[in-house]
Coordinates of all heavy atoms in Angstrom, one line a residue:
Chain A
H112 N 67.2 51.3 142.1 CA 68.6 51.0 141.8 C 68.8 50.7 140.3 O 69.0 49.6 139.9 CB 69.1 49.8 142.7 CG 70.6 49.6 142.6 ND1 71.5 50.3 143.3 CD2 71.3 48.7 141.9 CE1 72.7 49.9 143.0 NE2 72.6 48.9 142.1
T113 N 68.8 51.8 139.6 CA 69.2 51.7 138.2 C 70.5 52.6 138.1 O 70.7 53.4 139.0 CB 68.1 52.3 137.2 OG1 67.9 53.6 137.5 CG2 66.9 51.5 137.3
R114 N 71.2 52.4 137.0 CA 72.5 53.1 137.0 C 72.4 54.6 137.1 O 73.2 55.3 137.8 CB 73.3 52.7 135.8 CG 73.7 51.2 136.0 CD 74.5 50.6 134.8 NE 75.0 49.4 135.3 CZ 75.9 48.6 134.6 NH1 76.3 49.0 133.4 NH2 76.3 47.5 135.1
K115 N 71.4 55.2 136.3 CA 71.3 56.6 136.3 C 70.9 57.1 137.7 O 71.4 58.1 138.2 CB 70.2 57.0 135.4 CG 70.7 57.0 133.9 CD 70.1 58.1 133.2 CE 71.1 58.5 132.1 NZ 70.4 59.1 131.0
V116 N 69.9 56.4 138.3 CA 69.4 56.9 139.6 C 70.4 56.7 140.7 O 70.6 57.6 141.5 CB 68.0 56.2 139.9 CG1 67.6 56.6 141.3 CG2 67.0 56.6 138.9
L117 N 71.1 55.6 140.6 CA 72.1 55.3 141.6 C 73.2 56.4 141.6 O 73.6 57.0 142.6 CB 72.8 54.0 141.3 CG 74.2 53.7 141.7 CD1 74.2 53.6 143.2 CD2 74.8 52.4 141.1
E118 N 73.6 56.8 140.4 CA 74.6 57.9 140.3 C 74.1 59.2 140.9 O 74.8 59.8 141.7 CB 75.0 58.1 138.8 CG 76.0 59.2 138.6 CD 76.3 59.6 137.2 OE1 76.9 58.8 136.4 OE2 75.8 60.7 136.8
A119 N 72.9 59.5 140.5 CA 72.3 60.8 141.0 C 72.1 60.8 142.5 O 72.4 61.8 143.1 CB 70.9 61.0 140.2
V120 N 71.6 59.7 143.0 CA 71.3 59.7 144.5 C 72.6 59.7 145.3 O 72.7 60.3 146.3 CB 70.4 58.4 144.8 CG1 70.3 58.2 146.3 CG2 69.0 58.7 144.2
A121 N 73.6 58.9 144.8 CA 74.9 58.9 145.5 C 75.5 60.3 145.5 O 76.2 60.7 146.4 CB 75.8 57.8 145.0
Y122 N 75.4 60.9 144.3 CA 76.0 62.3 144.2 C 75.3 63.2 145.2 O 75.9 64.0 145.9 CB 75.8 62.8 142.7 CG 76.5 64.1 142.5 CD1 77.8 64.2 142.1 CD2 75.8 65.3 142.8 CE1 78.4 65.5 141.9 CE2 76.4 66.5 142.6 CZ 77.7 66.6 142.1 OH 78.2 67.8 141.9
L123 N 74.0 63.1 145.2 CA 73.2 64.0 146.1 C 73.6 63.7 147.5 O 73.8 64.7 148.3 CB 71.7 63.7 145.9 CG 70.8 64.5 146.9 CD1 70.8 66.0 146.5 CD2 69.3 64.0 146.8
A124 N 73.8 62.5 147.9 CA 74.2 62.1 149.2 C 75.5 62.8 149.6 O 75.7 63.3 150.6 CB 74.3 60.6 149.4
G125 N 76.4 62.7 148.6 CA 77.7 63.4 148.8 C 77.6 64.9 148.9 O 78.3 65.5 149.8
A126 N 76.7 65.5 148.1 CA 76.6 66.9 148.2 C 76.0 67.4 149.5 O 76.2 68.5 150.0 CB 75.7 67.4 147.0
R127 N 75.2 66.5 150.1 CA 74.5 66.8 151.4 C 75.1 66.1 152.6 O 74.6 66.2 153.7 CB 73.0 66.4 151.3 CG 72.2 67.3 150.4 CD 72.1 68.7 151.0 NE 71.1 69.5 150.4 CZ 71.3 70.2 149.3 NH1 72.4 70.1 148.6 NH2 70.3 70.9 148.8
D128 N 76.3 65.4 152.4 CA 76.9 64.7 153.4 C 76.0 63.7 154.2 O 76.0 63.7 155.4 CB 77.6 65.7 154.4 CG 78.5 65.0 155.4 OD1 79.0 63.9 155.0 OD2 78.8 65.6 156.4
M129 N 75.2 63.0 153.4 CA 74.3 62.0 154.0 C 75.0 60.6 153.8 O 75.6 60.4 152.8 CB 73.0 61.9 153.3 CG 72.1 63.1 153.5 SD 70.5 62.8 152.7 CE 70.8 63.4 151.1
P130 N 74.7 59.6 154.6 CA 75.1 58.3 154.3 C 74.3 57.7 153.1 O 73.2 58.2 152.9 CB 74.8 57.5 155.6 CG 73.9 58.3 156.4 CD 74.0 59.7 156.0
I131 N 75.0 56.8 152.4 CA 74.3 56.2 151.3 C 74.4 54.7 151.4 O 75.4 54.1 151.7 CB 74.9 56.7 149.9 CG1 74.4 55.9 148.7 CG2 76.4 56.6 149.9 CD1 73.2 56.4 148.0
V132 N 73.2 54.0 151.2 CA 73.2 52.5 151.1 C 72.6 52.2 149.8 O 71.5 52.6 149.5 CB 72.4 52.0 152.3 CG1 72.5 50.4 152.3 CG2 72.9 52.5 153.6
T133 N 73.2 51.3 149.0 CA 72.7 51.0 147.7 C 72.2 49.6 147.6 O 72.6 48.7 148.3 CB 73.8 51.2 146.6 OG1 74.9 50.4 147.0 CG2 74.2 52.7 146.5
E134 N 71.3 49.4 146.6 CA 70.7 48.1 146.3 C 70.1 47.4 147.5 O 70.5 46.2 147.8 CB 71.8 47.2 145.6 CG 71.1 46.4 144.5 CD 72.1 45.6 143.7 OE1 73.3 45.8 143.8 OE2 71.7 44.8 142.8
V135 N 69.3 48.1 148.2 CA 68.7 47.5 149.4 C 67.6 46.5 149.0 O 66.8 46.7 148.1 CB 68.0 48.7 150.2 CG1 67.0 48.1 151.2 CG2 69.0 49.6 150.8
V136 N 67.7 45.3 149.7 CA 66.7 44.3 149.4 C 65.7 44.0 150.5 O 64.8 43.2 150.3 CB 67.5 42.9 149.0 CG1 68.3 43.1 147.7 CG2 68.4 42.5 150.1
G137 N 66.0 44.5 151.7 CA 65.1 44.3 152.8 C 65.0 45.4 153.8 O 65.9 46.3 153.8
L138 N 63.9 45.5 154.5 CA 63.6 46.6 155.4 C 62.9 46.1 156.6 O 61.9 45.4 156.5 CB 62.8 47.7 154.8 CG 62.3 48.8 155.7 CD1 63.4 49.8 156.0 CD2 61.1 49.6 155.0
E139 N 63.5 46.4 157.8 CA 62.8 46.1 159.1 C 63.0 47.2 160.0 O 64.1 47.5 160.4 CB 63.5 44.9 159.7 CG 62.7 43.6 159.7 CD 63.5 42.4 160.2 OE1 63.6 42.3 161.5 OE2 64.1 41.7 159.4
G140 N 61.9 47.9 160.3 CA 62.0 49.2 161.1 C 62.8 50.1 160.3 O 62.5 50.4 159.1
M141 N 63.9 50.6 160.8 CA 64.8 51.5 160.1 C 66.1 50.8 159.7 O 67.1 51.4 159.4 CB 65.1 52.8 160.9 CG 63.9 53.8 160.8 SD 63.5 54.3 159.1 CE 64.6 55.8 159.0
T142 N 66.1 49.5 159.8 CA 67.3 48.7 159.4 C 67.1 48.1 158.0 O 66.1 47.4 157.8 CB 67.6 47.6 160.4 OG1 67.8 48.2 161.7 CG2 68.8 46.8 160.1
V143 N 68.0 48.4 157.1 CA 67.9 47.9 155.8 C 69.0 46.7 155.6 O 70.0 46.7 156.3 CB 68.2 48.9 154.7 CG1 67.0 49.9 154.7 CG2 69.5 49.7 154.9
T144 N 68.7 45.8 154.7 CA 69.6 44.8 154.3 C 70.0 44.9 152.9 O 69.2 45.3 152.0 CB 68.9 43.4 154.4 OG1 68.2 43.3 155.7 CG2 69.9 42.2 154.3
R145 N 71.3 44.7 152.6 CA 71.8 44.6 151.3 C 72.7 43.5 151.0 O 73.2 42.9 152.0 CB 72.5 45.9 150.9 CG 73.8 46.3 151.6 CD 74.4 47.6 151.1 NE 74.6 47.6 149.7 CZ 75.8 47.3 149.1 NH1 76.8 47.1 149.9 NH2 75.9 47.3 147.8
N146 N 72.8 43.1 149.8 CA 73.7 42.0 149.4 C 75.2 42.5 149.3 O 75.4 43.6 148.8 CB 73.3 41.4 148.1 CG 72.0 40.7 148.2 OD1 71.6 40.3 149.2 ND2 71.3 40.7 147.1
I147 N 76.1 41.7 149.8 CA 77.5 42.1 149.7 C 78.3 40.9 149.1 O 77.7 39.9 148.9 CB 78.1 42.5 151.1 CG1 78.0 41.4 152.1 CG2 77.4 43.8 151.6 CD1 78.8 41.6 153.3
L148 N 79.6 41.1 149.0 CA 80.4 40.0 148.5 C 79.9 39.4 147.2 O 79.8 38.2 147.0 CB 80.6 38.9 149.6 CG 81.1 39.5 150.9 CD1 81.1 38.4 152.0 CD2 82.5 40.0 150.8
S149 N 79.4 40.3 146.3 CA 78.9 39.8 145.0 C 77.8 38.8 145.1 O 77.7 37.9 144.3 CB 80.0 39.3 144.1 OG 80.9 40.4 143.8
G150 N 77.0 38.9 146.1 CA 75.9 38.0 146.3 C 76.2 36.9 147.3 O 75.3 36.2 147.7
R151 N 77.4 36.7 147.7 CA 77.8 35.7 148.7 C 77.4 36.0 150.1 O 77.5 35.2 151.0 CB 79.2 35.3 148.5 CG 79.6 34.6 147.3 CD 79.1 33.1 147.3 NE 80.0 32.3 148.1 CZ 79.8 31.8 149.3 NH1 78.6 32.1 149.9 NH2 80.6 31.0 149.9
G152 N 77.1 37.3 150.4 CA 76.8 37.7 151.7 C 75.7 38.7 151.8 O 75.3 39.3 150.8
T153 N 75.3 39.0 153.1 CA 74.4 40.1 153.3 C 74.9 41.0 154.4 O 75.7 40.5 155.2 CB 73.0 39.6 153.7 OG1 73.1 38.8 154.9 CG2 72.3 38.8 152.6
A154 N 74.5 42.2 154.5 CA 74.9 43.1 155.6 C 73.7 43.9 156.0 O 72.8 44.2 155.2 CB 76.1 43.9 155.3
K155 N 73.6 44.4 157.3 CA 72.6 45.2 157.7 C 73.1 46.6 158.0 O 74.3 46.8 158.3 CB 72.0 44.7 159.0 CG 71.3 43.3 158.7 CD 70.2 43.1 159.7 CE 69.3 42.0 159.2 NZ 69.3 40.8 160.0

Side-chain angles (χ1 to χ4, degrees):
Chain A
H112 191 78
T113 59
R114 291 179 167 187
K115 281 218 149 155
V116 173
L117 157 68
E118 178 190 289
V120 168
Y122 183 93
L123 178 68
R127 287 295 193 277
D128 193 19
M129 289 187 273
I131 169 95
V132 186
T133 55
E134 215 172 355
V135 165
V136 296
L138 172 72
E139 247 175 87
M141 283 299 270
T142 300
V143 291
T144 309
R145 65 181 302 261
N146 295 331
I147 59 167
L148 306 172
S149 295
R151 287 286 281 108
T153 57
K155 296 206 161 115

